[in-house]
Amino acid sequence: MNSPKNPGPARHATASPGRADARRNHERVITAAIDLFREHGALVTIPQVAAKAQVGKATVYRGFPTKEDLLESITQLGLDELARRTAKARREADPYEGFRVYVFELFDVLAHDRLLAERLADAVSQTALPLLEPLIEVMETARATGKLRADATPRDVRVLLCGAALQLVRFGERDPAVWRRYGDMVLQALCHRP
């Protein structure tokens, strides 16, 4: 017989399915939210997320009391992915090459993540800052090489990047090649012209 200190396998089995089921539902909500928000942006509703995850709305709200909580969570996942993709650019020996790679990686991520693109398009939002701060750091280092305009400022980066993102979002542009083209234009606008 099992003692209270050692519940044994039977007790553990009855307690686990609820937690395992809750974990699976949470993962389904996150997966559905990622797919929907990246494809359609912030206009996605909680009922749409619940339907795609095949759970009830209450299940979504249990993990994320408000839609903004869910948006923040999915935005953070996008920021984490961007950080992984741009880590190499930040370690690049040539600061200009690091900046160039970072710009193209950013535009590639934005082409596939409507939510992040919307958040960046809102240049004054707090969410835009984590997208821009690392890029501005890399730009400051790259500017010292003389390959970027000496007068390029963080505000210039915000105006150019956020402006491009805003218009591409408004046009509903999804083609990564088009996003890359505008990334190149932003980069060229910041480059030094002898």
Side-chain angles (χ1 to χ4, degrees):
M1 184 169 182
N2 293 325
S3 71
K5 287 185 179 182
N6 182 8
R11 191 166 197 189
H12 179 69
T14 57
S16 289
R19 285 192 293 266
D21 186 49
R23 270 193 310 277
R24 276 193 303 274
N25 284 344
H26 183 77
E27 289 168 9
R28 288 166 67 181
V29 167
I30 292 291
T31 299
I34 288 170
D35 290 347
L36 289 169
F37 286 131
R38 286 187 177 170
E39 179 67 25
H40 304 288
L43 294 179
V44 171
T45 66
I46 294 296
Q48 288 171 315
V49 172
K52 184 164 180 74
Q54 298 179 337
V55 299
K57 289 185 293 187
T59 300
V60 178
Y61 283 119
R62 227 180 338 273
F64 304 95
T66 68
K67 180 181 170 182
E68 187 57 32
D69 291 332
L70 183 55
L71 284 168
E72 285 298 318
S73 182
I74 302 308
T75 298
Q76 188 57 54
L77 291 173
L79 292 172
D80 293 346
E81 178 185 332
L82 179 63
R84 282 190 299 278
R85 290 184 64 168
T86 57
K88 181 182 174 202
R90 295 182 79 183
R91 291 189 310 267
E92 183 67 47
D94 176 354
Y96 173 76
E97 182 61 16
F99 180 70
R100 188 188 72 73
V101 169
Y102 198 115
V103 168
F104 285 124
E105 287 289 342
L106 175 60
F107 273 81
D108 188 53
V109 168
L110 296 176
H112 296 93
D113 191 332
R114 177 79 174 193
L115 180 61
L116 269 187
E118 288 175 359
R119 297 278 173 131
L120 181 62
D122 181 8
V124 295
S125 80
Q126 289 302 310
T127 310
L129 293 177
L131 282 166
L132 293 171
E133 285 173 350
L135 180 63
I136 289 167
E137 288 172 21
V138 174
M139 181 203 75
E140 296 287 354
T141 307
R143 192 173 49 200
T145 67
K147 294 179 182 175
L148 293 181
R149 295 173 59 126
D151 64 345
T153 67
R155 184 176 183 170
D156 296 332
V157 172
R158 287 182 77 112
V159 168
L160 292 168
L161 280 172
C162 298
L166 175 63
Q167 292 308 313
L168 291 169
V169 165
R170 284 187 176 167
F171 291 143
E173 186 56 60
R174 305 294 177 135
D175 184 351
V178 172
W179 280 82
R180 185 173 178 86
R181 178 174 178 265
Y182 283 96
D184 185 53
M185 289 179 156
V186 167
L187 187 61
Q188 293 306 315
L190 294 167
C191 282
H192 173 69
R193 298 279 181 248

